[in-house]
Amino acid sequence: MSESPFQTEPNPRDQAPQFVLPLVVRVEKASPPARTDALETAARAVLVMLSDERSVGDGEWAQIMRDWQDARIRKVVRRARGAEWRRAGELPGITLTGKSAEVRVFPPVPLDGWPKELAKLQVSGTDFDDPEPPADVEPGTVVLWMSPEVEMSAGKAMAQAGHGAQLAWWELSDEERAAWREAGFPLAVRIAETDRWRELTVSGLPLVRDAGFTEIAPGSCTVVAEHPALRAR
């Protein structure tokens, strides 16, 4: 498995120019999204951005995507409602819609170079919950297992789910990526039971260790990505 870009030790990635992938979640006062659906929609948004024709080859976003992936893989989730959401939608990006969540992902931007329409949006206020427990996961489903030991706001957890999805994407073959994309990137995000989590963290599956820029301690294990194709290896 390739080295995780979320490690906290000194790394050549730190010497490269640093970028961030912005994600904006729509949070209307009367109808906030369900937490799990927001996490799943954010993870799919990252995958759609990674696989979009504009992000690869000679696409218009390809160079900035490469620059971002050469450095630390930072993602920041902000919230918007009403006119804020409409203004964000006018910027180049991709909107993903889940059962209750809407998430728009944008090409990476320099850490200090956010567009004004996004820079004014709040990071706080993403503490929404699930109105009912998530359904059981069907066998064979791609699952992003969240740590039962680390508390995170929904916004932070959305970014971590995106990290996990990205690590899984990197580990797949071109054929496996194409199959996942053609299926619409089906996946589930669930919190692992404690014993199961301990097994997952030593399983060899893609593991996110957070760099500790926000909310949680550096080196915290936050997500394990369990893709059936990776389990079979």
Side-chain angles (χ1 to χ4, degrees), residues 108-128:
V109 299
L111 286 179
D112 57 355
W114 284 67
K116 64 180 185 301
E117 295 89 346
L118 303 182
K120 63 180 64 174
L121 299 178
Q122 296 296 310
V123 176
S124 61
T126 57
D127 295 319
F128 28 87

Side-chain angles (χ1 to χ4, degrees), residues 8-77:
T8 58
E9 294 81 6
N11 188 293
R13 290 175 179 273
D14 295 321
Q15 306 306 314
Q18 299 293 308
F19 298 87
V20 60
L21 187 80
L23 297 104
V24 175
V25 57
R26 185 177 185 179
V27 185
E28 301 290 348
K29 290 182 179 180
S31 55
R35 181 185 176 102
T36 296
D37 187 48
L39 269 60
E40 293 172 349
T41 304
R44 284 196 300 272
V46 170
L47 292 166
V48 169
M49 174 59 78
L50 287 167
S51 62
D52 190 276
E53 62 183 10
R54 291 165 289 183
S55 297
V56 298
D58 295 325
E60 61 184 287
W61 299 338
Q63 185 59 57
I64 192 68
M65 289 292 289
R66 287 192 290 269
D67 291 344
W68 169 60
Q69 293 179 84
D70 284 343
R72 294 285 185 178
I73 312 303
R74 301 191 190 198
K75 301 178 183 71
V76 171
V77 177

Side-chain angles (χ1 to χ4, degrees), residues 52-232:
D52 190 276
E53 62 183 10
R54 291 165 289 183
S55 297
V56 298
D58 295 325
E60 61 184 287
W61 299 338
Q63 185 59 57
I64 192 68
M65 289 292 289
R66 287 192 290 269
D67 291 344
W68 169 60
Q69 293 179 84
D70 284 343
R72 294 285 185 178
I73 312 303
R74 301 191 190 198
K75 301 178 183 71
V76 171
V77 177
R78 299 191 175 193
R79 63 177 173 85
R81 62 168 58 99
E84 294 174 332
W85 175 256
R86 291 191 292 274
R87 284 192 293 270
E90 294 172 356
L91 298 176
I94 304 170
T95 298
L96 270 288
T97 302
K99 296 176 181 177
S100 64
E102 287 184 81
V103 176
R104 188 164 179 82
V105 58
F106 304 86
V109 299
L111 286 179
D112 57 355
W114 284 67
K116 64 180 185 301
E117 295 89 346
L118 303 182
K120 63 180 64 174
L121 299 178
Q122 296 296 310
V123 176
S124 61
T126 57
D127 295 319
F128 28 87
D129 298 307
D130 285 315
E132 56 188 38
D136 292 338
V137 176
E138 295 291 329
T141 301
V142 178
V143 184
L144 304 175
W145 294 104
M146 308 294 293
S147 170
E149 301 169 350
V150 180
E151 292 188 9
M152 295 178 279
S153 68
K156 177 70 172 180
M158 289 169 67
Q160 298 298 300
H163 293 339
Q166 186 165 357
L167 288 186
W169 177 256
W170 283 351
E171 292 292 320
L172 297 174
S173 67
D174 289 343
E175 293 77 12
E176 291 161 346
R177 289 178 178 181
W180 198 12
R181 181 184 182 185
E182 289 168 9
F185 293 120
L187 57 83
V189 176
R190 297 292 186 272
I191 298 175
E193 298 290 340
T194 300
D195 289 345
R196 173 71 170 145
W197 177 249
R198 291 171 182 163
E199 294 174 358
L200 287 165
T201 57
V202 296
S203 66
L205 291 168
L207 169 66
V208 178
R209 294 181 184 272
D210 191 64
F213 294 121
T214 60
E215 286 196 29
I216 60 179
S220 298
C221 297
T222 57
V223 183
V224 173
E226 185 176 24
H227 191 294
L230 300 180
R231 267 293 188 197

